[in-house]
Amino acid sequence: MERQAVPGPFDAQEAAVVLERARACVDPELRRAVDSLPGSMRRIALYHFGWEQADGTPGAGNAGKAVRPALVLSAARALGGRHTEAVRAAAAVELIHNFTLLHDDVMDRDTTRRHRPTAWTVFGDADAILAGDALQALALRMLAEDPHPASSAAAVRLAGCVVELCAGQHTDTAMEKLGPGEITLDECLATAEAKTGALIGSACAIGGLYAGAADEDVEALDAFGREAGLAFRLIDDVIGIWGDPGRTGEPAGADLAARKKSLPVVAALTSGTPAADELAELYAAPFREGELERTVLAVERAGGRDWAQVQAADRMSRAMHELSRAVPDPEAAGGLLALTEFVTRRGN
Amino acid sequence: MERQAVPGPFDAQEAAVVLERARACVDPELRRAVDSLPGSMRRIALYHFGWEQADGTPGAGNAGKAVRPALVLSAARALGGRHTEAVRAAAAVELIHNFTLLHDDVMDRDTTRRHRPTAWTVFGDADAILAGDALQALALRMLAEDPHPASSAAAVRLAGCVVELCAGQHTDTAMEKLGPGEITLDECLATAEAKTGALIGSACAIGGLYAGAADEDVEALDAFGREAGLAFRLIDDVIGIWGDPGRTGEPAGADLAARKKSLPVVAALTSGTPAADELAELYAAPFREGELERTVLAVERAGGRDWAQVQAADRMSRAMHELSRAVPDPEAAGGLLALTEFVTRRGN
């Protein structure tokens, strides 16, 4: 009988400890990298990471939850490696994540990130683009400087992931301009995998590489991360419409008001039901006060919510299957499981 | 007595042969890299390199003169390496150059590149940014995949150079917004070195690394490229005002009409002469038809042209000195000398 790692009753406490430990390991490496930048680029990066305010005074240090570096370190440990050896690689993954955030915010004209004004709103488009470029270079330089035998393979993987992230962002931007009837659900899933799954998969795979894992285990870790990342995106999209009972302050329905073509919406639009036509009609016009409830109901009646929840559960089960291939011992997989539970329950 | 490599009577023919040979070596590697991109990113890169028109039909293939890859290969050969081993590194340098062109054109709102509409005017800002991001990733992935023992050191150098290019572009953009009295000549030279000298220096240094050159020779090659790159920029700026007698179709004075703070202009503005005040006054208002001659004359009378020509000659002499340290045999240095002559005579 095949042993299966099942998501245990990991409480948020455990994930919090794993994340806290990763932050403590990776932050000094990240700070060193950012401090090596020339003044103009450093200023923007320090602001983006929350280490400085726009005027150069110390910031609150809300640099995000460091899920991806925690995955690198946990995957390395799960495969029997020493997580201390993978700290540079974990920092490199976090730099790549932040480079894409800086650029995506410029392209998407997003004005808020981690409860603060985005870098482009403070420093302008050009500087936000340049700081992103510099962070990508820092990340890949960090791996090129790393004497660990896995560093080249990790750089190949991470750079390949950047290409996938770019293609995903392109499709995402392109889809937002299409009409409700012009998007297929498969395209939408592929885009979510490229935008969210790819880097989470790479983080896990790179951890495996640093532990000297066999090729098939590295691939299984990548697949685990991709599936878990997609589950996270699906759940995040559900929260974007129906809200998160465990979370306060997030307005439910914001994605619908913004006419976002999130996964449950596209599932609803492509369902072939009468509610799909109603939703398409609503989406064809700008959002009007008072029609939120009707829109939410249309997505539900068209099966968007059920589809997303079944898909998320399916992706999680595939993720667990992949993880059990790479790490048959559920105890060794503990850190990865806790993180997966954490991100899919709460968003990252 | 120290032997000195002096710029010989290299005719343009010799440089053309060196460039032609570099293109033939590097193009297949570049094409393979670009062809490995997902469709959306590939399309933009193929257009940018001139291999395709915007509609996907074959292009004229005007991918630029490949000066930087030719420098990588020539430097490798000059230091006794096999230039065939450095082809991937040469392609990586060219990818980095093109990534910066894609992004700089977005930031500078430049609408023409290599006699064609820039990528952002055809595909939009977001896609041009993404394609640039993808080219940076491709370049550093190419080095990470390269089994040559110098590939990691080359990647460290190239990624470090990207950071310098970003800082240079930041300062360049910032300077264009400053008033005539707010820029020092030293800042302007430092920016030109970061924007133009750094990558030319890195190209030469990486060629040396691939030949297994000693550290001090690699540094001398870097310094050679930086000084030659600065000489090129100075001469290019002179051409931007007084035109190039050997070149047709370039309107003289275009930089002045655009109120560009090129090196001769900043030298003139900071000269403390009466002509400097006149030039500052002219630059404080938008360009008006008919005042070109007066502006050109003010730059000349304030000593901007003489300064630039003396500086360029001085930089070339420093470049030659650095080259003679790394490559004492003028015959071995032949390819590098021909390329230097070529770029400083004609612009790149």
Side-chain angles (χ1 to χ4, degrees):
Chain A
M1 208 182 102
E2 196 183 338
R3 288 170 72 183
Q4 274 232 299
V6 289
F10 297 98
D11 53 27
Q13 196 61 32
E14 178 160 359
V17 171
V18 174
L19 287 168
E20 187 76 28
R21 240 190 267 147
R23 254 276 154 256
C25 282
V26 172
D27 263 0
E29 200 66 51
L30 271 180
R31 270 310 285 261
R32 205 167 10 248
V34 168
D35 284 341
S36 79
L37 289 171
S40 56
M41 296 293 101
R42 187 168 63 237
R43 194 170 148 233
I44 305 158
L46 287 170
Y47 173 81
H48 169 78
F49 278 105
W51 290 322
E52 274 187 16
Q53 310 287 1
D55 62 6
T57 56
N62 176 21
K65 291 188 205 66
V67 169
R68 288 158 194 82
L71 286 168
V72 175
L73 301 180
S74 295
R77 204 166 1 205
L79 271 289
R82 270 184 297 186
H83 78 281
T84 47
E85 289 185 356
V87 169
R88 279 195 199 180
V93 168
E94 188 67 358
L95 286 170
I96 290 293
H97 177 52
N98 282 280
F99 131 61
T100 65
L101 295 181
L102 277 163
H103 282 195
D104 287 359
D105 285 343
V106 170
M107 293 176 230
D108 301 340
R109 310 318 284 165
D110 279 336
T111 55
T112 307
R113 162 81 53 200
R114 296 170 188 151
H115 311 291
R116 298 161 74 226
T118 45
W120 70 266
T121 66
V122 177
F123 300 98
D125 286 9
D127 279 353
I129 295 169
L130 290 168
D133 290 343
L135 292 192
Q136 180 181 184
L138 275 189
L140 293 167
R141 187 176 76 184
M142 195 175 265
L143 290 175
E145 282 171 339
D146 187 350
H148 193 284
S151 63
S152 291
V156 172
R157 207 151 190 124
L158 195 53
C161 179
V162 167
V163 172
E164 193 173 349
L165 290 164
C166 291
Q169 170 70 6
H170 162 87
T171 319
D172 200 40
T173 314
M175 281 198 315
E176 286 302 324
K177 286 182 203 133
L178 293 177
E182 300 173 285
I183 303 170
T184 72
L185 193 49
D186 279 348
E187 280 166 351
C188 201
L189 276 167
T191 302
E193 185 179 331
K195 274 205 68 169
T196 310
L199 189 54
I200 292 180
S202 292
C204 298
I206 287 169
L209 284 171
Y210 269 72
D215 285 354
E216 65 262 32
D217 290 340
V218 171
E219 294 313 325
L221 284 166
D222 189 278
F224 157 71
R226 281 178 182 269
E227 298 290 355
L230 208 44
F232 154 64
R233 257 301 294 278
L234 285 154
I235 292 161
D236 204 50
D237 281 359
V238 168
I239 292 171
I241 299 175
W242 292 277
D244 181 359
R247 209 175 194 179
T248 52
E250 296 275 321
D255 282 1
L256 294 182
R259 297 300 187 227
K260 241 188 97 178
K261 298 193 191 77
S262 65
L263 285 159
V265 168
V266 174
L269 285 169
T270 55
S271 64
T273 60
D277 298 333
E278 191 191 346
L279 182 62
E281 216 168 283
L282 285 161
Y283 254 56
F287 182 75
R288 275 177 316 199
E289 215 53 59
E291 66 178 23
L292 182 60
E293 204 180 339
R294 212 183 123 209
T295 317
V296 172
L297 230 65
V299 180
E300 275 180 38
R301 281 207 316 270
R305 183 179 199 163
D306 288 346
W307 173 86
Q309 282 172 334
V310 169
Q311 268 287 326
D314 180 46
R315 297 294 174 166
M316 273 306 281
S317 128
R318 292 195 212 182
M320 291 307 132
H321 175 67
E322 296 290 351
L323 182 59
S324 73
R325 286 173 54 200
V327 193
D329 175 9
E331 195 159 333
L336 288 172
L337 288 168
L339 288 170
T340 315
E341 279 270 295
F342 176 81
V343 295
T344 52
R345 207 184 317 130
R346 313 195 127 210
N348 78 339
Chain B
M1 208 183 102
E2 196 182 338
R3 287 169 72 182
Q4 274 232 301
V6 288
F10 297 98
D11 53 28
Q13 196 61 31
E14 178 160 359
V17 171
V18 174
L19 288 168
E20 186 77 27
R21 240 190 266 145
R23 255 276 155 257
C25 281
V26 171
D27 263 1
E29 200 66 50
L30 271 180
R31 271 309 284 261
R32 207 169 7 249
V34 169
D35 284 341
S36 78
L37 290 170
S40 55
M41 295 293 103
R42 188 168 62 237
R43 196 171 146 232
I44 304 158
L46 287 171
Y47 173 81
H48 170 76
F49 279 106
W51 290 324
E52 274 188 16
Q53 310 287 1
D55 62 5
T57 55
N62 177 20
K65 291 189 205 65
V67 169
R68 289 159 191 80
L71 286 169
V72 175
L73 301 180
S74 295
R77 206 169 356 207
L79 271 289
R82 270 184 297 186
H83 77 282
T84 47
E85 288 185 355
V87 169
R88 279 195 199 181
V93 168
E94 188 67 358
L95 286 169
I96 290 294
H97 177 52
N98 282 280
F99 131 61
T100 64
L101 296 181
L102 278 162
H103 282 194
D104 287 0
D105 285 343
V106 170
M107 293 176 229
D108 301 340
R109 309 319 284 163
D110 279 334
T111 55
T112 306
R113 162 82 53 201
R114 296 168 189 150
H115 312 290
R116 299 161 73 227
T118 45
W120 70 267
T121 66
V122 177
F123 301 98
D125 286 9
D127 279 353
I129 295 169
L130 290 168
D133 290 344
L135 292 193
Q136 180 180 184
L138 274 189
L140 294 166
R141 187 177 75 185
M142 195 175 266
L143 289 176
E145 281 171 339
D146 188 349
H148 194 283
S151 62
S152 291
V156 172
R157 206 150 192 126
L158 195 53
C161 178
V162 167
V163 172
E164 193 174 349
L165 290 165
C166 291
Q169 169 70 6
H170 163 87
T171 319
D172 200 40
T173 314
M175 280 197 316
E176 287 302 324
K177 287 184 204 130
L178 293 177
E182 299 173 286
I183 304 170
T184 72
L185 194 50
D186 279 349
E187 281 166 351
C188 201
L189 277 167
T191 302
E193 184 179 332
K195 274 205 67 170
T196 309
L199 188 54
I200 292 180
S202 292
C204 298
I206 287 169
L209 285 171
Y210 269 72
D215 285 354
E216 66 263 31
D217 291 339
V218 172
E219 293 313 324
L221 284 167
D222 189 277
F224 156 71
R226 280 177 182 269
E227 298 291 355
L230 208 44
F232 154 64
R233 258 302 293 278
L234 284 154
I235 292 161
D236 204 49
D237 280 0
V238 168
I239 292 170
I241 298 175
W242 291 276
D244 180 359
R247 210 175 193 178
T248 53
E250 297 275 320
D255 282 2
L256 295 181
R259 296 299 187 229
K260 242 188 95 176
K261 298 193 192 75
S262 65
L263 285 160
V265 168
V266 175
L269 286 169
T270 56
S271 63
T273 59
D277 298 334
E278 192 192 344
L279 182 62
E281 215 168 284
L282 284 161
Y283 255 57
F287 182 74
R288 275 177 315 198
E289 215 53 59
E291 66 179 23
L292 181 59
E293 203 180 338
R294 210 183 124 206
T295 318
V296 173
L297 231 65
V299 180
E300 275 180 37
R301 282 207 316 271
R305 182 179 199 165
D306 289 346
W307 173 86
Q309 283 172 335
V310 169
Q311 268 286 325
D314 180 48
R315 296 294 174 167
M316 272 307 281
S317 128
R318 292 196 213 182
M320 291 307 132
H321 175 69
E322 296 290 351
L323 182 58
S324 73
R325 287 174 54 199
V327 192
D329 175 8
E331 196 159 333
L336 288 172
L337 287 169
L339 288 171
T340 314
E341 280 270 295
F342 176 80
V343 296
T344 52
R345 206 181 321 129
R346 314 194 126 210
N348 78 341

